[in-house]
Amino acid sequence: MRDFTLQDWLAKAAALDIRRQAFIDGKFTDAISGKTFDSVNPADGAVLAPVAECDAADVDLAVAAGRRAFDDGRWSRMAPGDRKAVLLKLADLIRANLEEMALLDCLDMGKPITDAMTVDAPGSAHFFQWYAEAIDKIYDEVAPTGPGDLALVRRVPLGVVGAVVPWNFPLDMATWKSAAALAAGNSVVLKPAEQSPLSALRLAELAAEAGVPDGVFNVVPGFGATAGRALGLHMDVDCLAFTGSTATGKRFMEYSGQSNLKQVWPETGGKSPNLVFADCEDLEAAADMAAFGIFFNQGEVCSANSRLYVERSIKDALVEKLIARAEGMQPGDPLEPATKMGAIVDEKQTQGIMRFVEAGKQTADLVTGGARVQVNGRGCFVQPTIFSEVSHDDALARDEIFGPVLSVIPFDTEDEAVTMANDSIYGLAASVWTDNLSRACRVSDRLHVGTVSVNTVDALSAQTPFGGMKQSGFGRDLSLHSLDKYSALKTTWIKYKS
């Protein structure tokens, strides 16, 4: 990949065979209504493909296919080792088609091709492999009972899982939900974000090639108000896994109450704090990771470290380093391998970011960036932007911007820093920079978030759960714990002659 040039990637993009139909019951199909919507490249405004616009009727078909597949046991009662082999093959197929999967996400939502090739696409393969390997290593339980009684506690699949995923990591978010749900033995109906449906459709095709039976993995592209709502309200969907905004997560919980009380697992918004103390000697590393924590993926990350709390005595020195890093991360063509920041996903999101920036210019000190720019004379691009001396009560420090905008807030004491960090409706993630082990442990314990990264940012792996507290939701992706979302505990009590 390192040898590919912009021209190489342009040629590969031109040669793509884009899947544009829904994938239901093992085959690609048009929406019943015949409607389509355009998948648009935010870097240049070009239409990539008209994609099937699914609605409630299509969701009904997909759920019915998933239910048939679940009930007849073609996947749900397949031997664990056989399910494992299929998902391992899927992981291998993703790796074999890595360039295509990376290109689809790069073109669809504007992320740099280098990130898609080194993070997103290989990450998807890794997570499918990890969950495949877990399938035959999870044991059921035998409860302690008296003579003549045998009580078995088994983990069983739920049935049909609906998964609604966001546009910022299209392939990875589809994988985080689907890999665990499939590993547990469920059928899946996946609704990708309307801004980025292409990699999910190709993933469905690869899953079928790997041997996932017809009806087990379905993809219904469409809009939240139609296809997403239909999944949320469906009486035959047993579980709804969602990543996206807090407002939409609340809506899915309402849908559950209005329908069949399906389990809903929301992983929602964030406004993650990054606390840098004066006893952090490696300010270069702190600056590198603070920049990465807000500018990676154009800041379109739910756990982005968008609030930077800095001990006052080192604030100016750290801000100076951050300005230099921001100036070295200006937006570029997403297909250019050297690009570090790509395009914002669409015009609506770009305008929303710029409203925050323009308002912030009136209330805080803009030290770098702050402009919408074009690349090659077009596209949705925003400069990496840093505001200093931000009031903790400013919208810049309170609201989820979901863009490359960093708010720097000074503090004088540890208590002050922790109090401000916790004073948020969100509780997804946080980072702490200190060379004092006691402070690292003490502050980590006090932060009300799902993940605390010490002397790094946004640490995650397949081995550890990802999710938040408060209005960041309570869903957990990754790790063996995520299998709990997609399975139920079933007790079988047997009386026998002792």
Side-chain angles (χ1 to χ4, degrees), residues 166 168-169 173 176-177 242-246 265-274 293 299-307 398 400 402 421-431 444 447-453 457-460 464-478:
N168 56 335
F169 292 93
M173 292 296 98
W176 284 19
K177 310 297 187 192
F242 170 74
T243 294
S245 72
T246 295
W265 295 102
E267 192 270 286
T268 53
K271 190 71 176 175
S272 298
N274 185 2
E300 298 165 323
V301 183
C302 57
S303 53
N305 284 223
S306 54
R307 292 185 286 155
R398 309 296 294 182
E400 186 176 35
F402 223 66
N422 283 333
D423 184 21
S424 171
I425 66 170
Y426 301 113
L428 185 53
S431 291
S444 296
L447 291 171
H448 302 318
V449 298
T451 298
V452 179
S453 303
V457 300
D458 214 13
L460 62 84
T464 56
F466 179 89
M469 301 177 181
K470 299 189 282 188
Q471 292 192 48
S472 289
F474 49 85
R476 289 294 186 273
D477 289 313
L478 306 181

Side-chain angles (χ1 to χ4, degrees), residues 223-247:
F223 293 90
T226 49
R229 182 175 183 273
L231 267 177
L233 287 170
H234 207 288
M235 296 296 291
D236 207 23
V237 170
D238 301 288
C239 171
L240 195 293
F242 170 74
T243 294
S245 72
T246 295

Side-chain angles (χ1 to χ4, degrees), residues 7-79:
Q7 293 306 314
D8 292 330
W9 283 116
L10 287 169
K12 291 175 183 294
L16 279 176
D17 181 13
I18 294 176
R19 280 62 173 169
R20 56 193 70 194
Q21 295 172 294
F23 192 84
I24 299 174
D25 205 10
K27 60 182 181 295
F28 284 109
T29 181
D30 292 333
I32 292 174
S33 67
K35 292 181 179 180
T36 63
F37 64 93
D38 288 339
S39 177
V40 176
N41 184 343
D44 59 13
V47 175
L48 297 166
V51 177
E53 183 183 331
C54 294
D55 57 25
D58 306 282
V59 169
D60 283 344
L61 285 181
V63 172
R67 178 60 61 191
R68 287 193 301 272
F70 182 79
D71 287 345
D72 68 25
R74 67 187 78 166
W75 182 256
S76 59
R77 293 196 295 273
M78 184 184 287

Side-chain angles (χ1 to χ4, degrees), residues 74-322:
R74 67 187 78 166
W75 182 256
S76 59
R77 293 196 295 273
M78 184 184 287
D82 294 339
R83 281 209 313 274
K84 169 183 172 179
V86 171
L87 293 187
L88 285 175
K89 185 175 181 181
L90 176 53
D92 288 340
L93 285 171
I94 294 170
R95 292 188 180 101
N97 294 273
L98 210 63
E99 294 169 12
E100 179 186 10
M101 302 305 282
L103 267 172
L104 289 172
D105 276 4
C106 171
L107 296 172
D108 221 6
M109 62 77 57
K111 69 171 63 237
I113 188 62
T114 298
D115 290 345
M117 272 293 289
T118 59
V119 178
D120 298 64
S124 176
H126 171 70
F127 291 124
F128 268 109
Q129 178 178 340
W130 196 87
Y131 279 105
E133 293 286 4
I135 289 173
D136 57 3
K137 299 174 182 65
I138 297 176
Y139 291 81
D140 295 325
E141 303 170 11
V142 177
T145 59
D149 291 299
L150 175 64
L152 307 177
V153 181
R154 297 171 51 229
R155 185 193 297 265
V156 297
L158 292 172
V160 179
V161 172
V164 179
V165 298
W167 45 258
N168 56 335
F169 292 93
L171 179 60
D172 270 359
M173 292 296 98
T175 296
W176 284 19
K177 310 297 187 192
S178 301
L182 291 171
N186 298 284
S187 299
V188 173
V189 179
L190 170 69
K191 193 206 87 67
E194 59 267 25
Q195 297 90 340
S196 57
L198 302 184
S199 60
L201 293 171
R202 181 65 173 124
L203 177 64
E205 187 175 36
L206 292 179
E209 183 180 344
V212 174
D214 292 352
V216 172
F217 186 46
N218 308 274
V219 179
V220 286
F223 293 90
T226 49
R229 182 175 183 273
L231 267 177
L233 287 170
H234 207 288
M235 296 296 291
D236 207 23
V237 170
D238 301 288
C239 171
L240 195 293
F242 170 74
T243 294
S245 72
T246 295
T248 303
K250 292 178 179 179
R251 195 171 299 127
F252 275 115
M253 295 188 74
E254 292 175 1
Y255 292 158
S256 173
Q258 294 166 14
S259 56
N260 61 341
L261 283 180
K262 61 177 64 65
Q263 297 183 37
V264 175
W265 295 102
E267 192 270 286
T268 53
K271 190 71 176 175
S272 298
N274 185 2
L275 285 63
V276 183
F277 290 91
D279 58 15
C280 169
E281 292 186 4
D282 194 350
L283 278 189
E284 297 293 338
D288 285 342
M289 296 308 292
F292 173 83
I294 185 58
F295 301 138
F296 172 68
N297 208 50
Q298 302 74 248
E300 298 165 323
V301 183
C302 57
S303 53
N305 284 223
S306 54
R307 292 185 286 155
L308 181 61
Y309 295 99
V310 187
E311 195 160 351
R312 197 176 302 276
S313 62
I314 61 169
K315 182 186 76 73
D316 290 346
L318 184 57
V319 168
E320 183 179 349
K321 296 178 187 300
L322 283 167

Side-chain angles (χ1 to χ4, degrees), residues 353-433:
I353 293 168
M354 291 310 301
R355 282 194 292 271
F356 277 103
V357 171
E358 293 305 317
K361 291 177 181 178
Q362 309 304 313
T363 59
D365 182 12
L366 176 66
V367 296
T368 191
R372 177 176 181 171
V373 296
Q374 293 184 325
V375 174
N376 302 320
R378 55 195 175 182
C380 299
F381 298 89
V382 174
Q383 291 179 323
T385 299
I386 300 174
F387 286 96
S388 186
E389 297 295 335
V390 176
S391 167
H392 176 65
D393 296 321
D394 196 311
L396 290 171
R398 309 296 294 182
D399 297 338
E400 186 176 35
I401 300 173
F402 223 66
V405 182
L406 178 65
S407 297
V408 180
I409 305 167
F411 68 85
D412 295 300
T413 68
E414 180 181 306
D415 281 346
E416 182 187 10
V418 171
T419 297
M420 289 192 294
N422 283 333
D423 184 21
S424 171
I425 66 170
Y426 301 113
L428 185 53
S431 291
V432 178
W433 291 80

